[in-house]
């Protein structure tokens, strides 16, 4: 079982060393790393020590290949980081703008709801005031009953109708408007 694991790891490492130039373009200020060609796979079996252990040379070679694969992977990732940063920055800016718009929308919606509530309260107040006005108008109309006025004037206040000699009628030639301090003409 240990032999199968070693073979899988060695095959994976050897396969990951190969790079494609068109995928990861080089930057101008990046130090160049010497690239070595991946070793050709031999069909012959490598020497294995007893117990399935790998020799020191084989371990050193595997470590070098891993390190070289890691360096190449870092080079590829460095080219992508600027594009990733721009993408992350634009997404963050978009999210910030959308958050601001959502906050503004919620604020406007709250203001509209508050105004609608105030309008409904004012309508209720107007309705109550209209009812009071109607009640007062009915009370005024009820108090203008001529028979009630006559009984209050004659019984409570002691008023009487004027006699025939107390009323003087006259006609005015100018207009129908009567001034308060004008002299009454004599017949």
């Amino acid at each position: 079982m240990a032999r199968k694991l070693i073979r899988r790891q060695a095959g994976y490492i050897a396969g990951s060393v190969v790079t494609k130039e068109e995928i990861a373009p080089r930057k101008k200020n990046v130090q160049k790393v010497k690239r070595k060609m991946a070793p050709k796979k031999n069909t012959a079996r490598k020497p294995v020590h007893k117990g399935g252990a790998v020799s020191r040379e084989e371990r050193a070679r595997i470590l070098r290949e891993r390190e070289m694969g890691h360096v190449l992977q870092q080079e590829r990732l460095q080219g992508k980081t600027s594009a990733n940063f721009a993408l992350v920055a634009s997404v963050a800016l978009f999210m910030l703008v959308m958050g601001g718009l959502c906050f503004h929308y919620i604020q406007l919606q709250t203001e509209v709801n508050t105004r609608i509530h105030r309008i409904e309260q004012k309508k209720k107040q107007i309705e109550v005031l209209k009812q009071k006005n109607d009640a007062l108008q009915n009370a005024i109309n009820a108090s203008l009953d001529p028979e009630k006025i006559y009984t209050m004037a004659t019984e409570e206040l002691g008023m009487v109708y004027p006699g025939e000699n107390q009323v003087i009628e006259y006609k005015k030639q100018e207009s129908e408007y009567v001034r308060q301090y004008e002299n009454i003409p004599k017949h």
Side-chain angles (χ1 to χ4, degrees):
M1 184 166 166
R3 290 181 187 173
K4 289 182 181 178
L5 287 176
I6 293 171
R7 287 183 189 162
R8 283 186 195 162
Q9 289 176 354
Y12 175 73
I13 292 170
S16 64
V17 174
V18 178
T19 61
K20 294 181 180 178
E21 291 293 328
E22 65 270 5
I23 293 177
R26 290 186 181 191
K27 287 189 174 181
K28 294 178 181 177
N29 298 334
V30 178
Q31 293 177 345
K32 294 182 180 179
V33 178
K34 289 185 177 180
R35 295 183 182 175
K36 296 181 180 178
M37 296 298 291
K40 295 181 180 177
K41 293 184 179 181
N42 293 332
T43 55
R45 291 194 167 224
K46 297 178 182 169
V48 177
H49 296 286
K50 29 181 164 167
V54 180
S55 68
R56 286 185 185 175
E57 294 85 22
E58 188 67 22
R59 269 192 210 154
R61 185 188 62 78
I62 291 173
L63 286 175
R64 275 182 274 145
E65 288 176 358
R66 283 185 185 174
E67 185 177 339
M68 198 164 79
H70 180 69
V71 168
L72 292 175
Q73 185 179 12
Q74 291 300 320
E75 282 182 9
R76 283 189 301 245
L77 290 177
Q78 283 178 353
K80 292 180 182 180
T81 49
S82 63
N84 288 344
F85 178 74
L87 179 66
V88 168
S90 63
V91 168
L93 181 65
F94 177 74
M95 294 298 287
L96 183 66
V97 168
M98 290 305 292
L101 288 175
C102 289
F103 178 75
H104 186 65
Y105 173 76
I106 290 171
Q107 184 180 14
L108 288 177
Q109 193 66 29
T110 304
E111 187 177 332
V112 166
N113 289 340
T114 304
R115 287 185 180 183
I116 287 173
H117 182 68
R118 286 182 186 165
I119 288 170
E120 289 175 359
Q121 286 180 340
K122 295 295 182 185
K123 283 181 179 179
K124 288 178 183 178
Q125 288 177 354
I126 288 171
E127 194 63 37
V128 168
L129 290 174
K130 281 183 180 179
Q131 289 174 356
K132 286 182 180 180
N133 282 345
D134 290 343
L136 290 173
Q137 186 65 40
N138 290 337
I140 290 171
N141 291 340
S143 69
L144 293 178
D145 185 22
E147 290 186 22
K148 188 176 181 181
I149 292 173
Y150 176 76
T151 55
M152 283 181 68
T154 55
E155 293 174 6
E156 293 177 15
L157 299 175
M159 297 178 129
V160 292
Y161 274 112
E164 289 183 28
N165 295 335
Q166 292 177 336
V167 178
I168 302 173
E169 292 183 12
Y170 69 95
K171 291 185 180 183
K172 188 173 179 181
Q173 303 281 335
E174 296 173 10
S175 68
E176 295 181 12
Y177 180 73
V178 177
R179 291 187 197 158
Q180 183 176 359
Y181 299 109
E182 188 176 342
N183 292 331
I184 299 173
K186 293 185 180 183
H187 280 11

